[in-house]
Amino acid sequence: MLDLNEDQRATRSAQSNLQRSAAEDTLQKKTEMTDAFHLVIDALKLNGIENIYGLPGIPVTDLARLAQAEGMRVISFRHEQNAGNAAAIAGFITKKPGICLTVSAPGFLNGLTALANATTNCFPMILISGSSEREIVDLQQGDYEEMDQLAIAKPHAKAPFRVLRAEDIGIGVARAIRAAVSGRPGGVYLDLPAKLLAQAIDAEKGRKSLIKVVDPAPRQLPAPESVKRAVDLLKSAKRPMILLGKGAAHAQADAQIREFVEKTGIPYLPMSMAKGLLPDTHPQSASAARSFVLAESDVVMVVGARLNWLLAHGKGKTWGKPKQFIQIEIAPTEIDSNVAIAAPVIGDIGSCVSAMLGEIGSSFPKPSAEWLGAVGERKDKNLAKMAETLAKDPTPMSFHSALRVLKGVIKANPGISLVNEGANTLDFARAIIDMYEPRKRLDVGTWGVMGVGMGYAVGAAIETGKPVLAVCGDSAFGFSGMEIETICRYDLPVCTVVFNNNGVYTDVNPSGTKDLAPTVFVKNARYDKLIEAFGGIGYHATTTAELEKAVNEALKLGKPALINAVIDESAGTESGRLTNLNPHSSAK
Ligand code: ADP
Ligand code: TPW
């Protein structure tokens, strides 16, 4: 036996203690593992994403559970399309990608409509769907909810990604975020197979694999010569007009846009979801003279809008006199899409408008008194005509009389979000209800899609923390109506007004069978009773006085409410303002 002195014995003992604790550390480190579920959640949180809108089930149930446990707000819906719409509008309002979480195949497909709608509207959103085993799906061997989701998402998304290894989750989420918010925003698909979600990796390695995205939507400065060209053209105009689209609202360049409009003194027209970017009561708003300025203007500066069907493709009778266009746009390929653009300014709206402000400096020749006078005259005439219509108070209510009440409600509560869908309910509300704040009017957008109502209402309530007034045609409401349970479950301050005119239109079935015509619903339905089933407050309003009392009470209480507003079924037209888009056969 080795003969050790005191010192040597002490050293040996310290060494063996050290060795033991190093071994324990290694063991501990080995057992400190993380998994794909946590890495997805950590990656989202690291990038400032706080909310998930979704509908859990195999294989993402634990993802939803753990996200809630880890402090994210998980809003669970009754149908994925509505969760997707909530995520999309969250993206529009916040400029951060809204997250929608769904199960595989059918859940994914239900969410896909919302993803496609987000891409179409240029809203940043990420649809995260669980998916089945690749080995089985690709051989079409019939897995549970088998579907090649990535391939199907591709044409409807700005970008699709799939993650197969836990250590790639950080990259996958980073790429999804960048794709959603940079350049022209859009919907991104992120495919997470069940096998990935089950993977466990070393926690330290996992942590290091995550990416905090630096400058996800970088500013894109316009070329100085494009700015000069645009300002020169604007200065040469005799009858200039500025057209603001929902891209301008999304860009959150509110102050610069207002400064530009006011400094130049040019009349402006907001597209539907750009209403409120400047208050609709602004003296330069030409909304009430829309047809006149579209037809009569000679130089039009388009800011964050596309010259698509909503703008009669920038040509034809609507646009009347020949004109030249300036277009501020982030997507260079949008330029010349429908008409020649004389002065494209490519970049983000904030940078472009700032650069144009810099170029005009302190002096800009205000538009002629003749032009401003003509616009003002037309405005006054149309406003007087509208005031006359709004003053009427028929029973049952007309679209106009009911909307006069809601116009007053938004005027008194300018900070609340207005969700709007339907045909007549949409067209008249857009014209009648003034908006006072940006990104507060949320509607059917580029597709004119029905069914965004309750999803948008939930998304707006969660993201803004403020009340929402959802004004929906009875047909439109039906597409997402079951989400009033979601609204009640999360106790959201959403007041839904269903404009109940017994369906879409007053057709009669010409065949003599007992079926109703395809555009007609159950007469005198009581939508207010639906919300009572979930503990919300139902109101039945047959007069403007009842409607006004009900909305004000609901907003004051800040509780889930649904008002069944009875509207004269003969008051509207089929398809509202879009009747002309219905094809008519020339066959006799
Ligand atoms: P609207 O329906 O209101 O007319 P669109 O959705 O047709 O508006 O057009 C919005 C346009 O705004 C899109 O072409 C989009 O590329 C553009 N856009 C979105 N965000 C920005 C931004 N930050 N900077 C510049 N352009 C943007
Ligand atoms: C996803 C077609 C356009 S408008 C509308 C439908 C079904 C309903 C109009 O009736 P509503 O409104 O809501 O009662 P109102 O104010 O005139 O009484 N499916 C989808 N999107 C669209 N746009 C349709 C169908 C449509």
Side-chain angles (χ1 to χ4, degrees):
M1 197 178 149
L2 217 58
D3 193 15
L4 301 172
N5 64 27
E6 275 300 301
D7 279 358
Q8 284 170 324
R9 254 199 300 275
T11 310
R12 275 287 164 91
S13 154
Q15 276 172 345
S16 81
N17 276 348
L18 263 179
Q19 274 163 0
R20 220 179 7 253
S21 76
E24 273 166 8
D25 273 4
T26 314
L27 194 69
Q28 171 101 31
K29 272 210 188 109
K30 257 196 193 139
T31 51
E32 203 191 313
M33 301 287 281
T34 188
D35 56 30
F37 291 116
H38 284 93
L39 288 171
V40 172
I41 295 159
D42 292 347
L44 294 173
K45 282 172 63 180
L46 183 66
N47 285 290
I49 293 168
E50 292 158 357
N51 302 324
I52 293 181
Y53 301 92
L55 199 161
I58 296 170
V60 296
T61 315
D62 274 354
L63 188 56
R65 280 197 192 109
L66 290 166
Q68 191 173 49
E70 297 290 335
M72 293 188 82
R73 187 105 198 255
V74 181
I75 306 294
S76 191
F77 284 71
R78 304 299 295 263
H79 190 286
E80 292 87 349
Q81 189 180 122
N82 307 317
N85 285 327
I89 211 64
F92 170 71
I93 295 170
T94 66
K95 245 183 148 183
K96 283 196 273 183
I99 306 293
C100 174
L101 178 68
T102 80
V103 303
S104 16
F108 155 78
L109 284 175
N110 285 344
L112 190 63
T113 307
L115 186 78
N117 187 52
T119 305
T120 300
N121 281 282
C122 314
F123 298 160
M125 162 190 177
I126 303 174
L127 173 67
I128 301 179
S129 295
S131 60
S132 304
E133 301 309 335
R134 293 244 45 81
E135 296 84 344
I136 303 177
V137 172
D138 289 348
L139 276 171
Q140 299 176 32
Q141 294 175 308
D143 202 1
Y144 167 72
E145 297 194 347
E146 175 179 297
M147 179 172 279
D148 186 358
Q149 296 169 197
L150 194 83
I152 290 165
K154 208 169 203 166
H156 306 289
K158 190 177 163 196
F161 301 103
R162 175 185 289 136
V163 181
L164 292 173
R165 302 181 303 182
E167 59 264 40
D168 290 335
I169 286 171
I171 300 268
V173 170
R175 300 211 71 188
I177 291 172
R178 272 197 195 281
V181 299
S182 63
R184 170 183 277 177
V188 174
Y189 176 60
L190 187 61
D191 192 89
L192 304 181
K195 226 183 216 174
L196 163 83
L197 291 168
Q199 281 175 34
I201 64 167
D202 177 82
E204 179 64 11
K205 189 175 164 196
R207 252 191 307 276
K208 285 189 178 147
S209 72
L210 300 184
I211 293 176
K212 185 165 167 50
V213 179
V214 176
D215 200 6
R219 286 194 306 145
Q220 286 180 228
L221 306 183
E225 62 275 18
S226 73
V227 174
K228 185 168 183 321
R229 190 187 299 124
V231 170
D232 287 348
L233 178 55
L234 199 60
K235 277 185 178 162
S236 75
K238 295 211 160 43
R239 297 180 307 278
M241 190 261 275
I242 296 172
L243 188 74
L244 304 173
K246 61 173 142 20
H250 174 71
Q252 296 191 10
D254 311 344
Q256 295 99 305
I257 290 171
R258 188 177 185 136
E259 190 185 342
F260 190 87
V261 170
E262 292 182 343
K263 203 164 192 176
T264 59
I266 296 174
Y268 74 93
L269 269 186
M271 295 299 285
S272 186
M273 283 179 68
K275 276 165 69 77
L277 194 41
L278 287 90
D280 280 334
T281 47
H282 194 284
Q284 284 171 254
S285 167
S287 287
R290 188 174 193 272
S291 317
F292 180 77
V293 288
L294 286 179
E296 296 296 318
S297 53
D298 66 344
V299 173
V300 179
M301 174 167 146
V302 180
V303 186
R306 286 167 287 185
L307 293 168
N308 56 16
W309 70 281
L310 285 161
L311 283 165
H313 304 281
K315 53 196 165 194
K317 212 170 122 227
T318 308
W319 289 87
K321 294 196 173 137
K323 58 203 76 212
Q324 289 187 288
F325 288 94
I326 297 163
Q327 188 165 17
I328 297 188
E329 172 59 57
I330 205 154
T333 50
E334 183 58 37
I335 305 303
D336 301 331
S337 63
N338 285 272
V339 287
I341 303 297
V345 184
I346 303 302
D348 71 279
I349 287 167
S351 300
C352 293
V353 175
S354 295
M356 285 183 71
L357 273 167
E359 180 68 28
I360 64 176
S362 54
S363 71
F364 185 87
K366 288 268 152 78
S368 69
E370 192 189 349
W371 172 233
L372 296 183
V375 176
E377 203 176 294
R378 187 58 69 108
K379 247 176 90 170
D380 292 346
K381 195 172 125 202
N382 290 344
L383 285 173
K385 211 158 98 192
M386 179 61 98
E388 221 174 86
T389 314
L390 291 182
K392 292 182 189 141
D393 199 10
T395 310
M397 290 183 280
S398 63
F399 287 98
H400 288 82
S401 67
L403 287 166
R404 183 213 334 127
V405 171
L406 303 183
K407 176 188 174 85
V409 168
I410 295 290
K411 188 176 179 187
N413 307 274
I416 72 181
S417 299
L418 174 70
V419 170
N420 190 200
E421 60 177 345
N424 297 278
T425 308
L426 177 97
D427 293 336
F428 291 130
R430 184 179 50 230
I432 292 170
I433 301 180
D434 288 329
M435 301 304 295
Y436 301 86
E437 293 184 11
R439 298 169 292 282
K440 288 286 154 74
R441 188 184 152 83
L442 314 169
D443 69 25
V444 301
T446 304
W447 266 346
V449 66
M450 298 299 113
V452 292
M454 297 301 102
Y456 280 9
V458 173
I462 295 285
E463 299 296 333
T464 65
K466 291 191 183 147
V468 176
L469 181 68
V471 182
C472 309
D474 50 349
S475 164
F477 170 74
F479 287 75
S480 67
M482 192 63 203
E483 301 301 342
I484 53 174
E485 189 276 331
T486 308
I487 290 168
C488 289
R489 188 161 19 105
Y490 293 96
D491 196 22
L492 299 175
V494 175
C495 172
T496 302
V497 185
V498 176
F499 273 35
N500 186 355
N501 60 346
N502 299 330
V504 179
Y505 196 50
T506 53
D507 292 320
V508 175
N509 172 359
S511 73
T513 62
K514 89 183 213 327
D515 287 351
L516 291 174
T519 55
V520 177
F521 294 170
V522 164
K523 290 223 188 277
N524 307 318
R526 291 291 299 270
Y527 290 95
D528 49 315
K529 301 221 182 260
L530 289 175
I531 201 163
E532 289 174 2
F534 308 112
I537 310 168
Y539 298 91
H540 180 58
T542 59
T543 64
T544 50
E546 285 170 0
L547 177 61
E548 187 162 17
K549 186 163 173 283
V551 188
N552 285 328
E553 188 178 303
L555 289 176
K556 197 161 154 221
L557 289 171
K559 291 275 167 200
L562 192 150
I563 302 166
N564 182 55
V566 179
I567 305 290
D568 181 356
E569 64 174 15
S570 66
T573 53
E574 193 256 301
S575 302
R577 208 174 53 84
L578 302 182
T579 306
N580 61 313
L581 294 184
N582 277 313
H584 290 287
S585 166
S586 54
K588 289 271 174 333

